[in-house]
Amino acid sequence: MNNNNFDDIRPYDDSEVNEVLARVVASPDFIRAMAHLRFPKLAQYLPWIIRPLIRRGLHSKATKLNCVYDVQLLVLKYLQQMIDRSVTNLTVSGLEHLPKDRACLFISNHRDIVLDPALVNYALHQNGQRTLRIAVGDNLMTEKYVEDLIRVNKSFVVKRSAKSPRDKLKASKQLSAFIHQSLTSDNEHIWIAQREGRAKDGDDRTNPAVISMLGLNRPKTMEFSDYIASLNIVPVAISYEWDPCDIAKAKELQCIAESGCYEKQDSEDLDSIVAGFVGQKGHIHLSFGKPLQQPLASAEAVAAAINEQIWQHYYLHPSNTVAYQQLQGQTLTDSKLLAAQQQLAQRCEGLSAATAERLQQMYAKPVFNQRHEPVATATTMDDTADVDELSQAAVNHC
């Protein structure tokens, strides 16, 4: 990789792993965070004992990691433990559509801050494919050790903190060029989300601004449709039977509907990451679509093509069907649906009627999208998107 133009956003390479991990383990903030995560009570009452033990243990593990692949194998180990504990079944379809001789730009729906790209990565690794370079917004990199951990795990930075239109456009052009080089020169898979932030209302819909950002690196002599085809875009539909953050999302949406705004707490992103990781998710299905090779003359046309594949390939769980039928006033008779109805009712306990309905809409929306039926939904507040805020500058530029 020609690192000179991308040093501030690119993933770390093998030669940097030892230095980066040593810096992370030496960070008092990182050790404090790990102590509270692993041993919350001991960390509170006996920090002078638990923190040195945590540092010693992490140092021992870090010294055995000498390249990015070593880091990724360790991450995959923890991901497998998560799957074993909180997922009843993980299924994958569509891998046969992926070309074996060229990198793909995977654009997926976005429901979980960390798990969406992690599960795509897991599926590719299990299928003998190369792992991904993953887009991560700098809003999540609140501490230097967080940025180090993200970039040492083959992820790159999206500068969402850019403020002025000029800076946003500059960051968008840099990001577009990095993605193009990764796909074409480096032959590395890329993952980005289809929109800014999680689709908290269940409406998986691609923002054309993301596509416009990708097109900023297009040579003037090249047709837009040809350039899009060269990126080898593969839509991915990720469906969770149960969302561990569904109640929090529904409450946020209702708060926005009632007051017009929602003030995120400082630790909210981290809380969502932890909840999504440890919470019970039931059946998860990943569906890889077909690469977009048809002529698509505009960002809106590309977005619509991605939407159609994600909607049609979205695996509908009983939780989705139950929510849809309840909103339609239909009577449930199937035993599997009755079990899902009971679990959905339990999740709605203690919620206001309006908030409970938003939770139902969240699960029902994929059914409405698949059938191209309209449903009244609330306006979603985006939180951790990967590229949207910058790519809007691309739309304005174009």
Side-chain angles (χ1 to χ4, degrees):
M1 183 194 300
N2 177 12
N3 291 335
N4 294 334
N5 295 328
F6 309 120
D7 276 344
D8 55 339
I9 66 170
R10 64 173 175 81
Y12 294 131
D13 58 37
D14 289 344
S15 66
E16 298 169 294
V17 168
N18 293 134
E19 177 184 351
V20 169
L21 293 180
R23 183 166 67 232
V24 170
V25 173
S27 167
D29 291 335
F30 173 66
I31 299 302
R32 185 183 304 111
M34 289 301 298
H36 280 280
L37 185 64
R38 295 282 304 278
F39 308 103
K41 290 186 178 180
L42 287 175
Q44 181 179 359
Y45 296 109
L46 299 171
W48 60 89
I49 295 177
I50 198 65
R51 289 179 192 173
L53 293 176
I54 291 285
R55 178 178 283 107
R56 192 174 302 123
L58 291 173
H59 177 76
S60 176
K61 288 185 178 182
T63 55
K64 298 175 184 177
L65 306 176
N66 298 307
C67 62
V68 172
Y69 185 67
D70 289 344
V71 175
Q72 293 216 297
L73 286 180
L74 181 62
V75 172
L76 286 168
K77 174 185 174 183
Y78 288 123
L79 187 62
Q80 183 64 63
Q81 292 175 357
M82 179 279 297
I83 292 171
D84 294 340
R85 292 170 182 169
S86 67
V87 179
T88 58
N89 192 21
L90 176 63
T91 53
V92 182
S93 63
L95 288 170
E96 69 276 7
H97 301 315
L98 304 184
K100 298 185 182 299
D101 59 342
R102 50 188 299 212
C104 299
L105 172 54
F106 296 100
I107 300 183
S108 82
N109 58 335
H110 193 22
R111 299 300 187 88
D112 186 276
I113 296 173
V114 169
L115 287 185
D116 295 342
L119 290 171
V120 174
N121 225 5
Y122 178 86
L124 292 175
H125 178 75
Q126 293 295 96
N127 192 50
Q129 294 245 12
R130 295 180 307 281
T131 53
L132 302 156
R133 287 179 177 172
I134 298 169
V136 179
D138 62 1
N139 58 298
L140 292 178
M141 301 177 191
T142 53
E143 303 287 348
K144 177 60 179 175
Y145 75 81
V146 176
E147 178 184 346
D148 282 342
L149 287 172
I150 288 172
R151 294 176 67 185
V152 82
N153 188 33
K154 211 173 174 180
S155 297
F156 56 96
V157 181
V158 177
K159 297 177 182 176
R160 292 189 65 207
S161 58
K163 299 299 182 184
S164 69
R166 180 190 296 271
D167 288 342
K168 287 183 179 181
L169 180 59
K170 181 180 178 181
S172 293
K173 288 182 174 180
Q174 182 190 33
L175 181 63
S176 180
F178 174 78
I179 290 174
H180 183 263
Q181 179 175 301
S182 295
L183 294 167
T184 57
S185 301
D186 304 336
N187 200 31
E188 292 279 3
H189 293 315
I190 292 286
W191 177 92
I192 62 174
Q194 68 177 163
R195 52 168 290 169
E196 180 179 352
R198 293 170 291 166
K200 294 178 182 176
D201 59 1
D203 190 11
D204 301 313
R205 199 172 296 270
T206 307
N207 190 326
V210 174
I211 311 304
S212 296
M213 178 277 298
L214 296 172
L216 284 175
N217 198 59
R218 174 175 64 92
K220 293 183 179 179
T221 56
M222 192 174 190
E223 293 292 331
F224 178 82
S225 59
D226 293 335
Y227 184 77
I228 289 298
S230 74
L231 298 179
N232 210 31
I233 295 174
V234 176
V236 183
I238 307 172
S239 59
Y240 299 85
E241 182 177 10
W242 298 107
D243 182 349
C245 299
D246 53 4
I247 295 175
K249 291 177 180 178
K251 288 181 176 179
E252 178 179 332
L253 292 173
Q254 186 59 28
C255 179
I256 295 171
E258 292 176 353
S259 65
C261 64
Y262 176 79
E263 186 173 345
K264 185 185 296 185
Q265 302 300 311
D266 291 340
S267 63
E268 194 161 327
D269 284 339
L270 178 59
D271 292 342
S272 295
I273 290 171
V274 173
F277 199 81
V278 304
Q280 294 299 310
K281 292 166 278 290
H283 178 198
I284 300 176
H285 185 79
L286 278 73
S287 180
F288 290 84
K290 295 181 179 180
L292 300 185
Q293 294 298 316
Q294 68 270 38
L296 297 165
S298 67
E300 290 74 18
V302 176
I306 294 171
N307 290 345
E308 192 61 26
Q309 286 208 41
I310 289 178
W311 293 349
Q312 297 307 319
H313 293 155
Y314 192 100
Y315 182 92
L316 296 177
H317 299 285
S319 54
N320 304 116
T321 305
V322 163
Y324 173 82
Q325 292 187 358
Q326 287 183 332
L327 288 175
Q328 296 291 87
Q330 300 176 15
T331 302
L332 304 178
T333 56
D334 185 277
S335 59
K336 290 183 179 179
L337 296 185
L338 290 172
Q341 180 188 34
Q342 182 178 12
Q343 188 162 349
L344 187 63
Q346 290 175 348
R347 300 173 99 85
C348 292
E349 288 180 359
L351 301 180
S352 69
T355 304
E357 184 174 359
R358 290 185 185 279
L359 192 144
Q360 283 185 310
Q361 289 176 343
M362 181 192 311
Y363 283 102
K365 187 58 180 175
V367 185
F368 284 102
N369 281 343
Q370 201 167 93
R371 300 185 180 192
H372 294 279
E373 296 176 0
V375 61
T377 57
T379 300
T380 293
M381 170 170 280
D382 298 324
D383 56 348
T384 57
D386 302 305
V387 296
D388 228 15
E389 201 166 295
L390 295 180
S391 53
Q392 188 61 52
V395 174
N396 297 336
H397 177 69
C398 295

